[in-house]
Amino acid sequence: RVHGGGTGDARATVPTRQDVASLLKSHGITTALWKRAEALQVDGSVLQYWEVSAVVDSAKGHGITERLHQIGVGSRHGEVCMMPIGMWAGANAKSGASTKAVDRLIALLAYRDAVGKVNKAAVLSADYIAMLLIASWLACTGLAGGSQVAIVASILASPFMGPIVQLVVGLVTGQWSLAIKGLSRACVA
């Protein structure tokens, strides 16, 4: 994982997404997963950065890490973490086990990213509550005035989709805590 490229204050020397992408591409890495992330700082500000996950051949790993440090990732800004996947590839590379391991790792990273987005979409925040109040007001207005358009508008403005998706993903993947969170948030709404 490569953490770096924060925004918010004047950081002219911070490596950009393009810097890191071109570095990875120059080393033959074209299947990197990019995820926008945030971190709360001690002073209360929010640091936005890119989290990059990529499968790297162990022979190239050290050289890529050195190049990332040269452009500032992991030395002046952010951090670099590497995890070996040789335990999945095994010694049976001729049978395609290595490719299967890489595919499984990429699928796992994509799955974790999707679950993170589902969790973020169903957070009980001020925006969520505001949309819920607006949808409730539209529904009440539509029912009181007999307006089907206002009722449909209240359905469209309702923030139910986040908790419902969270419930379905939790049920399909067998993550019961995720399903229960989704169900409870849907009931609150």
Side-chain angles (χ1 to χ4, degrees), residues 16 29 32 39 42 62-63 75 86 105 136 155-156 171 175 177 181 183:
T16 64
I29 300 169
V42 177
H62 184 68
S75 56
L105 181 60
S136 299
I155 293 169
L156 295 174
L171 290 174
Q175 291 185 339
S177 62
K181 270 197 269 185
L183 181 63

Side-chain angles (χ1 to χ4, degrees), residues 119-189:
N119 280 329
K120 190 174 182 179
V123 171
L124 192 61
S125 64
D127 292 341
Y128 183 87
I129 293 170
M131 290 301 292
L132 190 59
L133 291 173
I134 291 169
S136 299
W137 177 79
L138 285 170
C140 290
T141 304
L143 289 173
S147 171
Q148 295 173 348
V149 173
I151 293 172
V152 170
S154 74
I155 293 169
L156 295 174
S158 174
F160 287 137
M161 188 56 78
I164 290 172
V165 169
Q166 194 175 35
L167 171 65
V168 171
V169 169
L171 290 174
V172 169
T173 61
Q175 291 185 339
W176 306 118
S177 62
L178 188 65
I180 291 169
K181 270 197 269 185
L183 181 63
S184 64
R185 289 181 179 146
C187 289
V188 167

Side-chain angles (χ1 to χ4, degrees), residues 28-33 53-57 64 85 101-103 105-106 109:
I29 300 169
T30 58
T31 58
L33 296 174
S53 300
V55 177
V56 179
D57 183 67
I64 293 172
I85 63 163
V102 169
D103 291 344
L105 181 60
I106 290 172
L109 293 171

